[in-house]
Amino acid sequence: MGTHLAVHGGTPVRGARPWPRWPRPAPGAGEALADVLTSGRWSIASPHTGEPTRERRFAAEFAAYLGTGHCVPTASGTAALMTALEACGTGAGDEVIVPALSWAATASTVLGVNAVPVFADVRPDTLCLDPAAVEAAITPATKAIVVVHLYSALADLDALQAIAGRHGLALVEDAAQAHGAGYRGLKAGTFGDVGTFSMHHTKVLTSGEGGAAVTDDPQLARRIEHLRADGRVRGTAAPVAGLPELVETGELMGSNRCLSEFQSALLSAQLTELDAQNAVRRDNAALLDRLLGDDLGLVPQRTSPHTTERTYFGYAVRLPDHVVEAVPATAVAEAVTAELGLHVRPVYQPLYASPLYDPASRPRFAISPDHLKRVDPAPYDLPVAHHANRSFLTFHHSALLGTTADIHDIAEAFGRVLDHHTHLTH
């Protein structure tokens, strides 16, 4: 091909030097897990041992960290979203407005409560839900709005709170990619009726799998507790050693979506490292913004006004227009990946075009021909989300935990590929 790009057999920028490993265990994580191992209690449904559960301890710690009244840990971020939607009264036939650009669970959880996802376009700079698109999508059937803070950006919470309030809609704030981020000096996840988090392997606060729903409303918290523990909640009386701590109230049927004691103990340890790790990512991202933006003409993802603390689940950057017009983003991503040994890829496909969102593939959603028609994603074609997938690339936050030399490697790789981008059209 006449280039020295690694994808064409040239010497890569990075070579075999490893990137920072993720996840990385916090000090004390091993001891915390060993303590659970010998505790005689691996689940909150196990008999009480005389000590508070690890799950209860993490819930209190995370609520205090966020500055919210209640935290209910869950088995996953998906479980947190589903229980949040149900707790807010969302059900069969209701419409829920969701961003067109997000992970599949943003829409599949809406389907999971028999509601109808309605896709709204995103802003071209933040890639987060566009308030104007939300306003235009509201119908008499609309019950809730799910706002997602994506990659490293926070959505326009001022505008979305105002819209939800004006129309009497529940606002569910998906902060699965924004642990520790701040807006107007308050933590992300505390602005909606319910905030939800994922603690999946990829997230900046992780226990491999896991999640949490947070709220200031005690009634919503109680509903979420029922929904994630087969209709059981902790009793009001002091627990007795050897007896179950969960009480069968009969108030609300639920499912088993509880977090294990191992995961809870691990999260308590990992939480102590979150702010320091976020600070390292933020500093390295600022350096990369300068190297890619000022020197190479790429445009880093922006965040909404009033963001006071930015966090990075993924670093996202828009390719120059002349590159996007000449070569697919997938080809640029493949070439940068070859230079770095770091997985660089386009941002999410629009949900309505994603192979991970296909209601017709699940018989459980064939409630009626009318319902299948309402959840069919085929009619959607939202230009900003579509263009974002064609023009933005992203990589995982773990690379931002490296040194300034690592950041310069990333910039050098992008520069090398952009210099030879016309050779990538094969």
Side-chain angles (χ1 to χ4, degrees), residues 59-132:
E61 291 160 0
F62 197 48
Y65 173 80
L66 295 174
T68 192
H70 306 274
C71 169
V72 183
T74 59
S76 65
T78 295
L81 270 173
M82 288 187 70
T83 55
L85 287 166
E86 284 201 87
C88 289
T90 303
D94 292 331
E95 292 179 357
V96 179
I97 298 172
V98 300
L101 202 68
S102 185
W103 179 244
T106 300
S108 64
T109 50
V110 177
L111 287 176
V113 298
N114 290 334
V116 177
V118 175
F119 299 107
D121 217 342
V122 297
R123 292 186 54 86
D125 52 352
T126 68
L127 307 184
C128 295
L129 198 55
D130 185 342

Side-chain angles (χ1 to χ4, degrees), residues 150-153 177 301 311-316 394-397 400:
L150 199 68
Y151 295 118
S152 69
Q177 300 183 6
Q301 180 189 21
T311 60
Y312 288 80
F313 166 73
Y315 183 91
T394 184
F395 59 83
H396 188 248
H397 63 82
L400 295 177

Side-chain angles (χ1 to χ4, degrees), residues 197-411:
F197 293 84
S198 167
M199 280 68 168
H200 181 260
H201 172 97
T202 58
K203 300 304 190 291
V204 297
L205 178 65
T206 179
S207 51
E209 297 285 357
V214 302
T215 182
D216 279 327
D217 185 327
Q219 293 306 311
L220 283 176
R222 185 171 176 84
R223 289 180 62 82
I224 294 168
E225 282 200 60
H226 279 90
L227 288 164
R228 65 82 199 244
D230 286 320
R232 298 168 295 173
V233 296
R234 289 187 182 86
T236 55
V240 178
L243 298 181
E245 195 169 341
L246 297 181
V247 176
E248 301 173 7
T249 68
E251 292 177 26
L252 178 65
M253 186 176 75
S255 302
N256 183 7
R257 295 173 176 144
C258 295
L259 193 69
S260 80
E261 288 292 272
F262 290 100
Q263 293 165 301
S264 298
L266 185 55
L267 286 171
S268 287
Q270 298 302 114
L271 183 59
T272 64
E273 298 289 291
L274 177 61
D275 284 345
Q277 291 174 346
N278 278 340
V280 173
R281 295 185 189 98
R282 192 159 44 246
D283 288 346
N284 279 330
L287 172 59
L288 191 56
D289 285 352
R290 295 193 294 272
L291 295 174
L292 296 183
D294 297 346
D295 298 347
L296 300 179
L298 286 84
V299 181
Q301 180 189 21
R302 310 300 186 198
T303 188
S304 295
H306 311 302
T307 299
T308 49
E309 197 83 355
R310 199 166 182 182
T311 60
Y312 288 80
F313 166 73
Y315 183 91
V317 64
R318 180 163 60 83
L319 297 170
D321 291 341
H322 72 279
V323 175
V324 175
E325 292 164 3
V327 62
T330 51
V332 179
E334 180 185 359
V336 178
T337 296
E339 296 294 339
L340 293 172
L342 172 71
H343 190 192
V344 177
R345 55 188 169 181
V347 297
Y348 299 127
Q349 287 181 274
L351 275 170
Y352 55 81
S354 171
L356 300 180
Y357 178 76
D358 183 9
S361 68
R362 299 279 294 277
R364 65 177 292 193
F365 301 128
I367 298 168
S368 69
D370 177 65
H371 187 78
L372 278 180
K373 183 178 180 180
R374 292 179 69 196
V375 300
D376 182 3
Y380 287 94
D381 184 16
L382 300 177
V384 180
H386 178 72
H387 187 261
N389 176 250
R390 293 179 59 247
S391 59
F392 272 85
L393 300 183
T394 184
F395 59 83
H396 188 248
H397 63 82
S398 54
L400 295 177
L401 290 173
T403 64
T404 56
D406 295 326
I407 303 307
H408 281 275
D409 281 350
I410 295 171

